[in-house]
Amino acid sequence: MRALCWMGVNDLQVNTVPDARIVNPHDVVLKVRLTTTCGSDLHLIDGYIPTMREGDVIGHEYMGEIVEVGPEATTFKVGDRVVVPSFLGCGACWYCEHDLYSLCDNTHPKPELAEPVLGYPPAAIPGYSHAFSGLAGSHAEYIRVPHGDVNCFHVPEDVTDEQALFLSDSVPTGWTGADFCDITEGDTIAVWGCGAVGLMAQRSALLQGAGRVIAIDRLPERLALAREKIGAETIDYSASDSVLEELREMTGGRGPDACIEAVGMEAHGTGPQYAYDRVKQALHLHTDRGSALREAAIAVRKGGILSVVGIYGVIDKFPFGVLTNKGITMRTSQQPGQRYMGRMLEHVQAGDLDPSFLITHRMPLEDAARGYEMFKKKQDGCLRAAFTP
Ligand SMILES: [Zn+2]
Ligand SMILES: [Zn+2]
């Protein structure tokens, strides 16, 4: 089958690789109908995530059609159209039983690679280095899905492929970020980042009861999406003397009730702190740029919540005392999409959540390397490129 392979740092190629097949009796195999780029893939491509090997198939956001079911996968049949959350659960361990699917104890096939860094291995995610499973990713004609009964979700007839695609990752990641904010009716939520996850966090916050959502970014086309597609108020930080001051003014001097950080280690910022971070990261001194995270911690009101869905490795100069002295609760996780799938699908069907606008560029899988180039450089307003194998 054809697949987008990581061949080295900044070297992606579409190659012919071994076909996806049933390995364990509970597996299913999907024919991928749509798969999309993700900001966290850029960390693999740039070489910031170790344990990538030449030839690895990347991609973890996808939906498709079932073409093969293992003997112990009983819920689905060939021909079913399904979406799969990026992090795979087993459905039976303590974590899955507590709806913490992205912390599943059983799906990571190589826990020895994750344990030295994390203490305990997280759930497996395909196409995202050997430290996160080594499973072949979704930028391919076919993909094996372990524990098919737990991880596949029927896409209802009135939900399109393009809508379903984003229920694999961007929407549940944004939904998780908003859920962590414990929103009570009318709360003000500030969201750093207007990429796909940031926009979905903003929409999720409104659907969960926020009265106001304030979105912070610097790209005019993304800020326009936040206003027009989401219903957020916006701050362009590149044109602002002080985001903190603007937020204070917009919230009557108190600050947002919760802040969601949806940027991660790609954070772009301004000023000396940003330059320091950028140099350390470029020299591989193992710290990530954390300007958005620092700003969010300082902006949130006293006693508020800092919800982090951006992806970081190690950051330094994080003002930890801000959390203690302001009584801030910080929450973070990879998304347990299985937990939220029912509610997300209901909102899509009701018409108040339509993530399909996130696709700005559509192309065949054969052009995926070009798609990543556009996505990485944000060329032509690229928010997400979606590939059809
Ligand atoms: Zn992703
Ligand atoms: Zn589990």
Side-chain angles (χ1 to χ4, degrees), residues 37-41 60-61 86 125 169-170 173 197 384:
T37 56
C38 172
S40 54
D41 293 328
H60 59 266
E61 306 197 11
S86 301
I125 174 172
D169 196 323
S170 304
T173 302
V197 169
R384 284 295 180 97

Side-chain angles (χ1 to χ4, degrees), residues 10-172:
N10 290 315
D11 183 8
L12 295 177
Q13 295 171 22
V14 177
N15 289 330
T16 299
V17 302
D19 281 346
R21 60 185 181 86
I22 301 286
V23 175
N24 293 315
H26 45 67
D27 292 346
V28 302
V29 173
L30 301 193
K31 179 177 175 9
V32 177
R33 288 170 65 102
L34 265 184
T35 180
T36 184
T37 56
C38 172
S40 54
D41 293 328
L42 299 177
H43 313 150
L44 304 176
I45 296 167
D46 287 345
Y48 286 122
I49 307 272
T51 72
M52 287 298 289
R53 295 180 194 161
E54 185 179 332
D56 283 350
V57 178
I58 68 167
H60 59 266
E61 306 197 11
Y62 59 104
M63 57 80 58
E65 184 183 316
I66 291 184
V67 291
E68 210 180 335
V69 293
E72 285 173 30
T74 54
T75 309
F76 296 92
K77 59 183 192 313
V78 170
D80 285 348
R81 198 166 59 107
V82 298
V83 59
V84 183
S86 301
F87 284 87
L88 300 166
C90 74
C93 72
W94 186 90
Y95 293 97
C96 288
E97 278 177 358
H98 288 77
D99 272 348
L100 301 167
Y101 295 91
S102 56
L103 307 179
C104 175
D105 244 349
N106 288 329
T107 50
H108 199 313
K110 299 170 183 171
E112 68 279 4
L113 289 178
E115 275 166 356
V117 180
L118 300 178
Y120 302 90
I125 174 172
Y128 203 76
S129 85
H130 291 262
F132 283 91
S133 83
L135 296 173
S138 63
H139 295 338
E141 289 179 89
Y142 300 92
I143 184 169
R144 171 170 83 95
V145 181
H147 302 280
D149 288 351
V150 178
N151 296 305
C152 292
F153 290 82
H154 278 289
V155 178
E157 248 172 51
D158 55 349
V159 173
T160 66
D161 284 4
E162 294 195 352
Q163 290 172 323
L165 170 63
F166 292 103
L167 301 182
S168 65
D169 196 323
S170 304
V171 180

